Amino acid sequence: MNVPTLLTWLRVAAIPLVVGVYALPQHWLSLPERNLAAALLFVLAGLTDWFDGFLARRWNQTSAFGAFLDPVADKLMVSAALLVLLQLGRIGSLVALIIIGREIAISALREWMARIGRSRAVAVNWLGKVKTATQMVAIPLLLYDGRLFGVLSAAWWGGWLLDVAAALTLWSMLYYFKLALAGIKLSE
């Protein structure tokens, strides 16, 4: 156990907090207060994602377990937030299915490629990083669901960005499948 791995575990622990905010009694927190709390928790969890990677590289504390747990924590956090947003009626089921389905498909693809010794063929690239960054901005905007700076609609911007993230999700999934197919042909 090291500090980067501890931060990743904190991100996992934040998942029930983000979901649980909406289960609190109405007299404890109003809906706008719940929205703000969930958005802030999601942003803090996202910051731990960046910070744990930074510290792992800086302090040379990378580990096989940390490399496994980090993307799992990210996928769980995003999936939980998307399910909350779906339940709240702030996103459509197709967008949630595209994003969550892609994560499952690519995780399975990476595992399979690792089994056949071709894991480098589907290593994370810039397209996946842009997709992740886009959804990590969209989700807290959708959770917040209020006005930004008194004039901008967080829901509108979050919805627009999540649609972009869904398009990038499909594009990146096709890209990874293409890379995997090329990797399979090389190993034959």
Side-chain angles (χ1 to χ4, degrees):
M1 180 66 74
N2 56 38
V3 172
T5 303
L6 178 63
L7 288 172
T8 304
W9 277 116
L10 287 174
R11 191 160 64 258
V12 172
I15 295 167
L17 297 176
V18 170
V19 174
V21 161
Y22 291 100
L24 293 173
Q26 181 72 26
H27 64 275
W28 285 12
L29 289 176
S30 67
L31 184 58
E33 291 168 333
R34 293 171 200 218
N35 291 341
L36 178 60
L40 289 175
L41 285 166
F42 189 89
V43 168
L44 288 173
L47 290 174
T48 68
D49 182 28
W50 175 84
F51 203 52
D52 69 24
F54 172 79
L55 290 178
R57 289 183 297 277
R58 177 104 172 172
W59 294 347
N60 197 27
Q61 291 186 344
T62 57
S63 68
F65 182 71
F68 158 77
L69 185 62
D70 186 66
V72 170
D74 296 344
K75 288 167 184 33
L76 288 172
M77 177 60 85
V78 167
S79 296
L82 289 174
L83 291 174
V84 165
L85 291 168
L86 186 62
Q87 177 69 30
L88 293 169
R90 296 181 190 171
I91 65 170
S93 56
L94 182 60
V95 170
L97 180 62
I98 287 170
I99 294 172
I100 295 170
R102 181 261 188 206
E103 296 306 336
I104 293 168
I106 296 304
S107 294
L109 177 67
R110 285 193 172 124
E111 182 179 333
W112 180 58
M113 293 300 285
R115 285 182 186 220
I116 65 170
R118 302 292 302 160
S119 60
R120 289 188 176 239
V122 287
V124 175
N125 74 353
W126 68 271
L127 187 54
K129 290 180 186 250
V130 170
K131 181 267 314 171
T132 299
T134 304
Q135 71 189 20
M136 295 304 273
V137 173
I139 290 170
L141 288 173
L142 287 162
L143 287 170
Y144 177 60
D145 194 42
R147 291 272 170 208
L148 300 169
F149 312 112
V151 292
L152 300 175
S153 168
W156 186 89
W157 283 102
W160 183 80
L161 284 170
L162 199 64
D163 288 344
V164 169
L168 290 170
T169 295
L170 289 173
W171 183 15
S172 69
M173 183 173 68
L174 293 173
Y175 177 78
Y176 285 123
F177 280 131
K178 181 181 171 187
L179 288 177
L181 187 57
I184 292 166
K185 288 179 181 177
L186 287 175
S187 66
E188 291 177 347

